[in-house]
Amino acid sequence: MDFELSAEQREIQALARELAEAEIEPHAAAWDREHRFPRELFGRLAELGLMAVCIPEDLGGAGADFLSYILVLEELSRADAGVGVAVAVHTSATTLPLVRFGTDEQKKELVPPLARGERIGAFALTEAGSGSDAAALRTRAEPDGDGWRITGVKQWTTNGAYAGTFLVFARGEAGISAFVLDAETEGLKPTGEHTKLGLHSSSTTDLVLDGAYAPRARLLGEEGKGFHIAMATLDGGRIGIAAQALGIARAAYELSRGYALERRQFGQRIADFQAIQWKLADMATELDAARLLVYRAAWLRDRGEPHGEAGAKAKLYVSSVARRHTGEAIQILGGYGYTKEFPAERYYRDAKITEIYEGTSEIQRLVIARSILGLGERAVPTPA
Amino acid sequence: MLAPVKIAVCMKEVPDASATKRIDPQTLRLDRSGDGTLNEFDTHALEEALRVKDASSETEVVVVSMGPGKAMDSLRKALAMGADRVVLVTDEAAAGSDLIATSKVLAKALERESPDLIVLGQQAGDSDGAVLWAALADRLRLPMISQAASLELREGKARSKRQTEYGYDVIEAALPCVVAVSDAINEPRYPSLKGIMGAKKKPQETVSLVDLGLAGDEVGAAGSRTEVYALGEPAARGETQRIEDEGDAAEKIIEYLSARKIL
């Protein structure tokens, strides 16, 4: 057993950390306050290869492994969780499925602009009536010539207002299929930027599809195999969200530790009080456990081994750690923690979503239970 | 001659800034066993060389260093930033070299490369010597520009502004020459991911003193003229006064400084 990162992984981690501390963290409070998606930042990230960490070199990516990508997400999310989710959805929910399921022609055409950050990726699966029960989606794909007209409304599309490439799931005669649509497609329109509890620096919109045309060349994978693509994508995607939660939890812990060593009450540092020591000891312990779960899931994926259960465990545990620790951070900072003078309250608001998106904690438990009990792929019946 | 064909950048691994620096009480030398990092000052020298390379792709940038074998881990960052290759002089006998002995080793390594331009940072962040560039230029009998706040290469010459207390001196030297850049000259780039991934494929050469035609007693502690007699803790900071801002912090600070005739 070896808990060391490789030299390359350490260097990539150091780069992401240095960049996040210099160019993201100082602006995170303002982006949060102004609900601003920092579009210009993604060009900068792409220049350094951070928009395509684990994308093969011949498609314009950096060709690093999945664990390196996870390390990058952790560092970005530590500075700004909204930036973290934008990169996560762009990479593991849009670019990676294209790499994995695309034909050579599709890969050559669609992946390099995503890798260069010229286009930001978005994943459009969820609808008003289909969240956890994703297979109940109602968006229609009607045959039209050698392609399909897609009609329906997608909901909570991360990166929606800024995306150039959308991975859209729609139901046709053969079942659910996956389509790749450009933002310029006639009949495709992101609408209604949602106001959220946190992640104010990320864009979350609806996506209106009104007869948007997808030629056959834009069908990803086989017709009717879209649900499989969506589920396989979420298998890896949830490791990314676990990394995002890990970044948030680490930010909360580091803030708490630093503050406890400085803040004085009753003539001593609050870190000298056992009440605070125990909180920090628990946080440090759980953070370690969280990190190991996330890195193991990524490591399994890099080895080409099944990682669905490991990823679900990581996301289930780390998102809960992030939610609880960000609350503890506010408690340790006291009144200051409740104000916007410190980032603790932002961490707290940002953390909650990690228990919800890319599979709620309840769905993660379902995935884990099915895996450990040897139950079938889908325990929940879905309408035909 | 247009842009120089070959630029050598002297770089050094120093203890990571986050690590507590420790002096070995036996040898009175800096303990270099912990995590290392590239000397920040040297990254400005590398950046300046890489800018020449950006403008003319035929330029070769070679990093020349002396240090323990593990220093290669730090030097790889220079390759990730864009340097073409690294030459690391590593030899047990070189340990304990002072700046004069170090200049002897590096001069030999540089002679072997015969670059058109040698660039250095102004000092190392661990020992803060700030004389290596002068010693190197002297050994190599090359003109030298120090504290360069800009660098322009044209018609076989290097032209720099040197920052002074009152403004700039503009200095020109014929190539080949040695330029020690100030840390105000540029903002070093980040290594890109592709750079990091590609670094391990670039040449990383380690050479010994024998390879350079040097005998062990010419360098290291034996070849050094500096002797460290004692080392001490820095003096403890005087009494500090903490001013909490209750709307009058600025006034209190001015009062404090005025009382000591600082203002």
Side-chain angles (χ1 to χ4, degrees):
Chain A
M1 181 164 272
D2 183 2
F3 287 101
E4 282 285 326
L5 296 175
S6 71
E8 209 166 76
Q9 287 160 346
R10 278 202 309 276
E11 285 159 29
I12 292 172
Q13 183 184 44
L15 163 67
R17 184 172 299 172
E18 208 178 320
L19 178 97
E21 284 176 1
E23 300 185 24
I24 299 176
E25 202 179 344
H27 309 293
W31 295 338
D32 174 63
R33 201 168 48 239
E34 295 157 14
H35 292 240
R36 194 164 92 69
F37 180 87
R39 179 63 183 91
E40 69 288 353
L41 173 71
F42 297 95
R44 177 83 178 114
L45 294 179
E47 236 173 68
L48 296 171
L50 295 169
M51 294 296 273
V53 178
C54 55
I55 305 304
E57 260 178 294
D58 59 351
L59 296 174
D65 58 10
F66 193 79
L67 179 53
S68 297
Y69 161 66
I70 287 302
L71 296 170
V72 168
L73 280 187
E74 178 189 341
E75 295 302 329
L76 297 179
S77 302
R78 195 194 71 88
D80 185 318
V83 171
V85 74
V87 174
V89 168
H90 169 85
T91 311
S92 48
T94 315
T95 317
L96 272 183
L98 290 176
V99 170
R100 181 163 166 196
F101 298 103
T103 61
D104 284 348
E105 290 73 30
Q106 285 175 328
K107 284 193 260 192
K108 263 180 231 151
E109 184 203 340
L110 299 167
V111 175
L114 286 161
R116 287 193 298 265
E118 292 159 12
R119 284 176 175 271
I120 290 180
F123 180 81
L125 175 67
T126 297
E127 298 174 9
S130 59
S132 292
D133 185 9
L137 66 86
R138 297 175 59 173
T139 294
R140 307 284 316 167
E142 309 279 358
D144 180 359
D146 194 29
W148 295 266
R149 293 267 167 208
I150 300 174
T151 302
V153 181
K154 294 292 176 180
Q155 191 165 277
W156 299 326
T157 309
T158 299
N159 294 342
Y162 300 88
T165 301
F166 291 84
L167 185 52
V168 175
F169 296 87
R171 185 183 303 281
E173 284 162 0
I176 295 171
S177 300
F179 302 94
V180 189
L181 296 179
D182 295 336
E184 300 83 1
T185 308
E186 207 179 317
L188 178 152
K189 195 172 171 5
T191 59
E193 186 69 62
H194 288 276
T195 311
K196 310 181 289 283
L197 173 66
L199 290 192
H200 292 165
S201 63
S202 83
S203 164
T204 312
T205 68
D206 290 344
L207 183 68
V208 175
L209 298 152
D210 184 10
Y213 188 66
R216 182 159 291 276
R218 292 304 188 92
L219 170 70
L220 185 67
E222 281 175 54
E223 201 182 345
K225 293 284 165 66
F227 192 69
H228 166 72
I229 293 176
M231 291 303 111
T233 299
L234 293 175
D235 258 7
R238 63 174 69 108
I239 308 176
I241 298 307
Q244 184 204 22
L246 179 61
I248 301 171
R250 212 181 93 212
Y253 166 72
E254 288 171 2
L255 173 69
S256 304
R257 182 182 173 279
Y259 185 84
L261 285 167
E262 271 186 15
R263 172 72 169 170
R264 299 182 74 84
Q265 288 289 278
F266 304 103
Q268 52 187 321
R269 302 177 307 178
I270 63 169
D272 295 321
F273 293 111
Q274 199 176 51
I276 302 297
Q277 289 174 355
W278 284 28
K279 280 190 203 296
L280 290 171
D282 284 346
M283 286 166 86
T285 304
E286 292 185 355
L287 195 58
D288 259 2
R291 180 179 293 116
L292 292 173
L293 278 175
V294 178
Y295 291 3
R296 181 190 62 165
W299 174 81
L300 283 169
R301 193 183 183 285
D302 277 326
R303 288 164 60 101
E305 291 183 36
H307 53 274
E309 181 193 322
K313 284 174 174 169
K315 182 177 181 291
L316 172 65
Y317 183 71
V318 188
S319 58
S320 144
V321 165
R323 195 222 337 123
R324 289 182 285 111
H325 287 195
T326 52
E328 283 295 67
I330 294 180
Q331 196 67 24
I332 291 169
L333 269 70
Y336 288 114
Y338 197 68
T339 69
K340 288 190 186 289
E341 281 173 58
F342 285 86
E345 61 84 32
R346 169 164 59 88
Y347 300 154
Y348 185 67
R349 287 183 287 108
D350 287 351
K352 180 59 206 176
I353 189 63
T354 63
E355 291 186 313
I356 299 171
Y357 61 17
E358 300 219 17
T360 60
S361 293
E362 292 70 24
I363 288 292
Q364 304 309 325
R365 287 188 172 92
L366 193 72
V367 170
I368 297 163
R370 273 187 216 143
S371 173
I372 59 177
L373 296 172
L375 303 177
E377 269 265 306
R378 297 196 49 75
V380 179
T382 52
Chain B
M1 186 171 110
L2 293 162
V5 174
K6 190 173 188 179
I7 304 176
V9 182
C10 294
M11 304 189 81
K12 180 188 186 184
E13 185 195 57
V14 295
D16 192 86
S18 60
T20 317
K21 289 173 195 163
R22 202 186 75 90
I23 304 285
D24 185 323
Q26 297 300 312
T27 61
L28 297 180
R29 287 182 205 153
L30 188 64
D31 177 3
R32 297 184 184 279
S33 60
D35 277 350
T37 183
L38 269 190
N39 176 34
E40 167 73 25
F41 293 104
D42 298 342
T43 60
H44 295 277
L46 177 63
E47 174 63 34
E48 212 50 32
L50 293 176
R51 287 183 187 192
V52 177
K53 186 179 160 75
D54 289 343
S56 63
S57 56
E58 74 272 25
T59 299
E60 187 192 17
V61 175
V62 52
V63 171
V64 177
S65 184
M66 181 178 104
K70 73 167 186 67
M72 198 60 94
D73 289 341
S74 297
L75 295 169
R76 227 178 3 253
K77 184 176 176 187
L79 296 175
M81 286 171 73
D84 294 294
R85 59 193 175 87
V86 172
V87 176
L88 171 65
V89 184
T90 187
D91 203 305
E92 285 285 310
S97 293
D98 67 0
L99 282 156
I100 302 300
T102 302
S103 72
K104 198 180 286 176
V105 176
L106 288 180
K108 282 284 183 197
L110 287 165
E111 267 172 16
R112 201 165 151 260
E113 296 290 339
S114 63
D116 303 294
L117 175 69
I118 299 167
V119 199
L120 293 93
Q122 63 186 34
Q123 70 203 69
D126 52 359
S127 47
D128 294 305
V131 296
L132 185 67
W133 28 271
L136 272 178
D138 189 55
R139 287 194 190 280
L140 296 167
R141 309 307 300 160
L142 291 176
M144 190 260 309
I145 306 173
S146 64
Q147 278 295 309
S150 71
L151 176 61
E152 236 181 286
L153 301 170
R154 55 175 183 212
E155 290 154 11
K157 288 178 184 149
R159 190 185 172 95
S160 286
K161 281 181 176 176
R162 179 166 63 193
Q163 207 164 355
T164 69
E165 267 180 72
Y166 306 104
Y168 290 105
D169 294 333
V170 177
I171 302 174
E172 208 171 69
L175 299 176
C177 70
V178 176
V179 176
V181 304
S182 84
D183 58 353
I185 192 169
N186 57 38
E187 194 58 52
R189 68 194 62 191
Y190 293 106
S192 72
L193 244 72
K194 277 184 192 171
I196 292 173
M197 301 300 292
K200 60 176 184 244
K201 291 173 216 141
K202 292 181 177 178
Q204 298 163 44
E205 186 190 2
T206 51
V207 298
S208 66
L209 294 176
V210 174
D211 296 333
L212 296 177
L214 283 164
D217 58 359
E218 290 181 77
V219 298
S224 293
R225 300 197 205 160
T226 315
E227 204 172 320
V228 179
Y229 288 109
L231 284 161
E233 294 283 320
R237 245 198 294 180
E239 204 178 311
T240 56
Q241 188 180 328
R242 202 184 167 111
I243 297 169
E244 296 279 344
D245 187 13
E246 281 151 7
D248 57 354
E251 277 167 41
K252 282 184 179 163
I253 290 169
I254 289 170
E255 208 174 283
Y256 179 90
L257 295 174
S258 308
R260 281 154 188 80
K261 301 210 169 13
I262 296 167
L263 277 187

